Amino acid sequence: MAPAEDRDLGHEFDPRFRVISVTARGAPLRTLPSMNAPIKNDRIEWLQGPSADGAAKCSSIPAGRKNPWRLVLLGAPGVGKGTQAELLTERLGACHLSTGDVFRAASKRKDCDQSPAMVAALDYMRRGELVPDSTVWEMVRERSHCILGCGGFILDGFPRTLGQAESLKELMETESIALSAVVNYELPLDEIVERLSGRRTCEQCKAVFHVTERPSKGGAICDRCGGRLYQREDDRPESITVRLEAYERSTAPLIQFYRNLGVLTPVVAKGTPDEILGRTMKGLDRANDRVKTA
Ligand code: AP5
């Protein structure tokens, strides 16, 4: 039998659908079964939200599947959720939905395009604090079709508080859909700080590098698109401390919340991204077996 990470875990796989997200952060894995002809998924409806003229339309959306993957990725800032979300998107064909990416996309818009709530949210983000639940939920609620779509999702950075988790649960219950699993990535604090402080992001294509662990061959220039690499404002030492405190205070309690719901899948986040992906797929395999025998 093929290893767990090379199977589709009982979820229906549609070979016509392949995804590369605009924030692709690593070299594609050669072992991935769904990688030969990338179809672009720019996630524009998630990143931009609804507009009056309905102009924002994803260039491809996941094909409907019988049992789409609906995942939440939990873990401290910098543990590698975004990196894994990219790899899981390629493997599982569900949309990568990151609330942090929505805020960063909004920060690039002209000032006059930003609502007062968004301007305030970006201030919270720069300081490393959590954006208030009401703003986050408003933003997610108006994009709820991305969550309720029949291709599935990989939520990265949401929910982050018990209030947000309750709101997500209610939304999904109204549509009679359930989470497949909540993956909790675990890594010692010193390694988390090292990952955060060494992160560099391409200002053009949003690819993510690390100065020592995953350096760009072009140094301060992105070796994918030639864009300039920059350090995120909230990756500076003073913001990192605030973010880690906010995680401990507000997000860590979600681990017990999801454990109580029977959907928590812990994954050790040490090693290379490929190794962590392999562990994640094995964890999802077990979660899938649990659902089948329940
Ligand atoms: P968000 O963008 O969600 O940031 P985060 O959760 O802090 O997560 P990060 O993006 O910092 O890290 P990551 O775990 O994705 O790690 P990555 O893969 O990049 O949120 C930003 C802000 O927005 C928040 O602080 C808040 O203000 C606001 N916000 C967003 N959502 C909110 C919500 N729901 N409620 C309230 N506020 C909200 O990896 C990190 C580095 O490590 C990279 O350099 C990478 O190359 C490297 N790396 C990854 N994997 C490995 C590996 N295996 N080995 C070595 N290096 C690795």
Side-chain angles (χ1 to χ4, degrees):
M1 193 182 204
E5 52 269 48
D6 288 335
R7 283 185 276 129
D8 191 33
L9 308 179
H11 281 234
E12 199 176 68
F13 173 63
D14 183 345
R16 290 169 305 170
F17 173 65
R18 302 175 195 92
V19 151
I20 295 269
S21 140
V22 279
T23 53
R25 298 173 186 205
L29 295 181
R30 270 173 315 199
T31 51
L32 292 174
S34 54
M35 285 297 297
N36 29 5
I39 292 174
K40 197 165 174 274
N41 178 359
D42 49 16
R43 301 181 301 156
I44 196 152
E45 291 178 46
W46 175 257
L47 294 177
Q48 290 194 2
S51 55
D53 59 359
K57 289 268 174 265
C58 289
S59 55
S60 82
I61 50 171
R65 310 168 100 199
K66 206 165 85 191
N67 295 308
W69 284 98
R70 299 188 179 104
L71 300 179
V72 167
L73 306 189
L74 278 186
V79 75
K81 301 180 297 296
T83 303
Q84 290 304 311
E86 293 294 335
L87 299 175
L88 286 166
T89 293
E90 290 162 1
R91 181 65 68 95
L92 304 175
C95 268
H96 173 195
L97 306 179
S98 153
T99 38
D101 284 349
V102 175
F103 291 130
R104 281 184 287 280
S107 74
K108 300 281 180 277
R109 292 193 200 162
K110 290 187 281 320
D111 282 356
C112 56
D113 289 344
Q114 290 173 2
S115 67
M118 185 54 84
V119 172
L122 296 177
D123 267 348
Y124 281 102
M125 190 172 93
R126 283 183 201 107
R127 290 196 298 270
E129 293 170 25
L130 292 188
V131 176
D133 277 0
S134 54
T135 308
V136 174
W137 180 242
E138 179 59 21
M139 194 184 84
V140 171
R141 198 191 49 75
E142 63 182 15
R143 293 163 170 77
S144 57
H145 68 281
C146 298
I147 293 178
L148 302 174
C150 49
F153 59 78
I154 300 169
L155 278 169
D156 161 17
F158 178 87
R160 242 181 168 99
T161 65
L162 285 170
Q164 294 177 17
E166 292 286 3
S167 299
L168 175 66
K169 189 163 169 281
E170 273 172 37
L171 174 73
M172 294 181 69
E173 280 171 357
T174 58
E175 298 292 322
S176 304
I177 57 175
L179 286 173
S180 316
V182 173
V183 181
N184 183 40
Y185 289 108
E186 302 169 339
L187 193 67
L189 186 63
D190 55 336
E191 291 187 49
I192 287 174
V193 173
E194 167 58 26
R195 284 187 188 176
L196 278 176
S197 42
R199 173 166 50 194
R200 296 293 181 270
T201 308
C202 173
E203 62 184 7
Q204 256 170 237
C205 74
K206 313 296 175 221
V208 172
F209 300 90
H210 188 278
V211 285
T212 54
E213 299 296 323
R214 310 180 78 200
S216 167
K217 292 188 199 79
I221 300 296
C222 174
D223 57 21
R224 300 222 204 125
C225 76
R228 196 181 66 91
L229 301 187
Y230 75 103
Q231 184 175 36
R232 262 169 55 174
E233 264 183 282
D234 60 350
D235 280 348
R236 298 177 203 281
E238 57 280 14
S239 300
I240 289 179
T241 309
V242 177
R243 286 164 71 196
L244 291 171
E245 282 169 4
Y247 168 77
E248 281 304 325
R249 191 174 55 248
S250 304
T251 311
L254 293 185
I255 298 171
Q256 192 57 42
F257 176 86
Y258 284 119
R259 188 179 287 128
N260 292 345
L261 292 178
V263 289
L264 193 77
T265 298
V267 170
V268 174
K270 274 179 176 285
T272 66
D274 290 12
E275 288 166 348
I276 301 163
L277 176 67
R279 257 177 247 135
T280 306
M281 296 303 286
K282 283 186 180 137
L284 294 180
D285 202 6
R286 285 192 293 274
N288 207 38
D289 288 344
R290 273 201 306 272
V291 172
K292 279 191 206 146
T293 53

